Amino acid sequence: MGTKGVFQLSFFKKLKEKFTKTTENITKTFTDGLSKTREAVVEKITQLVKRSRKIDEEFFEELEEILIAADVGVHTVMELTGRLRKEVKERKITDGNELQPILAEQLTQLLRKENEDLRLHMNPNGLTVILFVGVNGVGKTTTIGKMAHRFKEEGKKVLLAAGDTFRAGAIEQLEIWGERVGVPVVKKEAGSDPAAVVFDAIEEAKRTGADILLCDTAGRLQNKVNLMQELSKIVRVIEREIPGGPHEVLLVLDATTGQNALSQAKTFREVAKVSGIVLTKLDGTAKGGIVIAIRNELDIPVKFVGLGERMDQLQEFDPEKYVGALFADFLQGAEDERETEKEQG
Ligand SMILES: Nc1nc2c(ncn2[C@@H]2O[C@H](COP(=O)(O)OP(=O)(O)OP(=O)(O)O)[C@@H](O)[C@H]2O)c(=O)[nH]1
Ligand SMILES: [Mg+2]
């Protein structure tokens, strides 16, 4: 391998180091959860590279198609291939294989905004209140259950508020999660005012000295005015009872809905101060490129991703882990190549 090859590999090496530094479990959750997207994107690109003799316009057009099919979003794809074209020209790249690490590097750059903190804002002194919003069926309640589990594992005292008083069975569903995880749930009868439930929950959290209150909400969006009124009433109650709260308003989006998720985000941003996104069901889609579109087209950070239905399949979003999981086979390949080189002396 020439010096150019070594240079190309340096990004993969860094990526791999970051990827393997995290625990085996997290790496596995990401690689397993993204397997459908990996097959649809990276495997197709690999085939394209094998088939193409040179990197020409046709090559870029096919590459664009693959990325768009994975829901990366036309706008973002154009930006990405624009950068790739430039790199190919500047670094005088003729071998498609050398493109993979550059693509990985560009993707990581697109996903990581300078000085952005992807961690959840927590109240340094007292109760942290997190509100979950989003349309029907995106995974709000499940995410609350998973997050309650995470916080509990960290030794935090968690309380849940059954703020979805609208959908039949919603309160019971949250209660089941509460039992499963071992955290209490504050509820009122079905049909009550969600803001009143949240008020009660804050009282209960104060009384019992809870560290974190996670508030569920109903997932309707048929009527924007209603939604706005309902959400702003809940937010007002939290603001009044807990200075600085809500510390996070997390918009839950379903990755399998693709570009639709983007338009939901735009709507919710108008009605609530969304501070972060939880992108669920990434495991269920080959269109996991939506993470990149969301990151690039909205000014809201993706803070968590859902990679399966199990309690432990919610992960903090990390650009390196995401890109690392997409290019997992390559990282492995790069490693093998280095080993062989070492052996050959
Ligand atoms: N595969 C997979 N399924 C998920 C994930 N997150 C949630 N789900 C599933 O998505 C379905 C809907 O989840 P809910 O948590 O009920 O969604 P919701 O937003 O609370 O829905 P409403 O209460 O109707 O507004 C359930 O079957 C969950 O198990 C995920 O990350 N991966
Ligand atoms: Mg729900």
Side-chain angles (χ1 to χ4, degrees), residues 126-139:
L127 179 66
T128 298
V129 184
I130 304 179
L131 186 63
F132 290 79
V133 301
V135 306
N136 292 94
V138 288

Side-chain angles (χ1 to χ4, degrees), residues 287-303:
K287 294 168 170 261
I290 191 69
V291 181
I292 300 156
I294 287 176
R295 193 63 213 94
N296 204 39
E297 291 178 35
L298 298 170
D299 208 23
I300 312 168
V302 175
K303 295 200 167 176

